[in-house]
Amino acid sequence: MAPRRALHFVFKVGNRFRTACFFRDVLGMKILRHEEFEEGCKASCNGPYDGKWSKTMVGFGPEDDHFVAELTYNYGIGHYKLGNDFMGITLASSQAVSNARKLEWPLSEVTEGVFETEAPGGYKFYLQNRSPPQSDPVLKVTLAVSELQKSLNYWSNLLGMKIYEKDEEKQRALLGYADNQCKLELQGIKGTVDHAAAFGRIAFSCPQKELPDLEDLMKRENQKILTPLVSLDTPGKATVQVVILADPDGHEICFVGDEAFRELSKMDPEGNKLLDDAMAADKSDEWFARQNKSKASG
């Protein structure tokens, strides 16, 4: 099997202004690109919504070699109910801890040197108070599973992930496609996994020629395919092919053709400006409200 890459996790956000503050000012990530769409995505990238939406990619470096966040904003929707499916992203950055303290962003130390904080919307992040590794500060994404062994069979045997750690007693396992990539942590919970309305999606890339084979494998194994192989257009950018799957607990998984995705995901130096302009034009956004308030008080 050719190399596969962990790419990003998709968050639905209801408040772009506060969310941008968190990722830019607290975590210290950069806006890598920002794109606006007039109608819903054919692969439900923005969830089950048909209207106007935007996608903002944020990370510590280029998408070629960093795991990043995709911030999906559906115009007119200000809140999404959280489930118990997403358990957090862990990253190593003493600078992020310092930023949070300086900005008085809520932090709580859960173990020595590890701080829990929340992005707007309630998404949990765990900040290790140490220097980041050279490869990427984002270390792992943790997802809840109802049956650890069943999930391991899916992610390792079917999707080809290497198992780095497994702890039966704590019902957790750590998987990944390469030593220097962001890992996927599966954490067993009691009861069922509830995705609610805020459900996210984790994305990986593989050579485009592998996508039909991956889809065929899932059909043979009677696994869920949410969106069969489809081409997705982004105005003025590369067209990519994707297959959207679901694991035994319903976690959404996107596999995208690597070659076209590398073209699509090139960093846009105008990304910051495009996001700020979009927030300024959106009268429901807090950015607009704050700008108007400052003009009125001036």
Side-chain angles (χ1 to χ4, degrees), residues 35-274:
E35 296 149 7
E36 295 280 331
F37 301 87
E38 292 301 318
E39 57 186 26
C41 171
K42 287 190 285 186
S44 300
C45 310
N46 62 315
Y49 307 99
D50 296 327
K52 185 178 178 182
W53 65 288
S54 74
K55 174 200 298 183
T56 309
M57 308 303 289
V58 294
F60 288 106
E63 293 177 67
D64 267 0
D65 50 14
H66 289 76
F67 189 86
V68 308
E70 176 177 318
L71 311 178
T72 296
Y73 175 71
N74 290 290
Y75 283 82
I77 300 179
H79 174 74
Y80 299 92
K81 183 182 178 185
L82 280 177
N84 63 1
D85 51 344
F86 174 78
M87 299 186 75
I89 283 181
T90 300
L91 56 93
S93 173
S94 53
Q95 185 61 55
V97 175
S98 174
N99 293 343
R101 286 171 171 158
K102 194 178 299 181
L103 296 169
E104 299 184 347
W105 199 279
L107 280 179
S108 60
E109 192 166 16
V110 288
T111 58
E112 187 176 354
V114 179
F115 295 84
E116 180 186 290
T117 189
E118 287 186 3
Y123 304 111
K124 292 188 184 302
F125 282 75
Y126 295 91
L127 313 180
Q128 296 183 358
N129 192 15
R130 63 181 178 91
S131 298
Q134 285 188 332
S135 52
D136 185 3
V138 182
L139 305 178
K140 65 182 179 181
V141 177
T142 305
L143 300 180
V145 298
S146 57
E147 293 181 51
L148 182 60
Q149 191 54 52
K150 188 175 182 180
S151 294
L152 282 174
N153 289 340
Y154 181 90
W155 288 93
S156 180
N157 296 345
L158 296 183
L159 294 185
M161 277 192 156
K162 175 184 174 182
I163 299 174
Y164 283 86
E165 299 173 13
K166 183 181 176 184
D167 188 327
E168 292 279 6
E169 188 177 342
K170 293 182 179 177
Q171 281 293 289
R172 66 170 289 275
L174 193 70
L175 304 94
Y177 281 123
D179 295 354
N180 63 346
Q181 289 185 23
C182 175
K183 304 299 186 295
L184 171 66
E185 182 177 54
L186 303 177
Q187 177 62 61
I189 63 169
K190 292 180 180 178
T192 58
V193 175
D194 175 18
H195 298 275
F199 65 90
R201 175 182 288 180
I202 192 164
F204 303 90
S205 73
C206 66
Q208 186 169 305
K209 65 183 181 182
E210 286 187 10
L211 290 173
D213 295 336
L214 179 59
E215 185 176 325
D216 289 342
L217 172 64
M218 292 301 164
K219 286 177 181 174
R220 289 198 307 273
E221 296 292 331
N222 295 313
Q223 298 295 329
K224 189 174 285 187
I225 299 171
L226 299 176
T227 304
L229 187 60
V230 65
S231 294
L232 300 181
D233 299 323
T234 299
K237 296 188 178 182
T239 295
V240 298
Q241 289 195 315
V242 303
V243 174
I244 312 297
L245 311 174
D247 82 347
D249 286 294
H251 291 290
E252 293 196 1
I253 309 155
C254 171
F255 272 91
V256 58
D258 189 73
E259 301 88 341
F261 186 78
R262 286 184 186 272
E263 283 297 314
L264 170 68
S265 62
K266 286 180 178 176
M267 187 171 174
D268 182 355
E270 293 294 306
N272 255 316
K273 183 178 184 301
L274 289 171

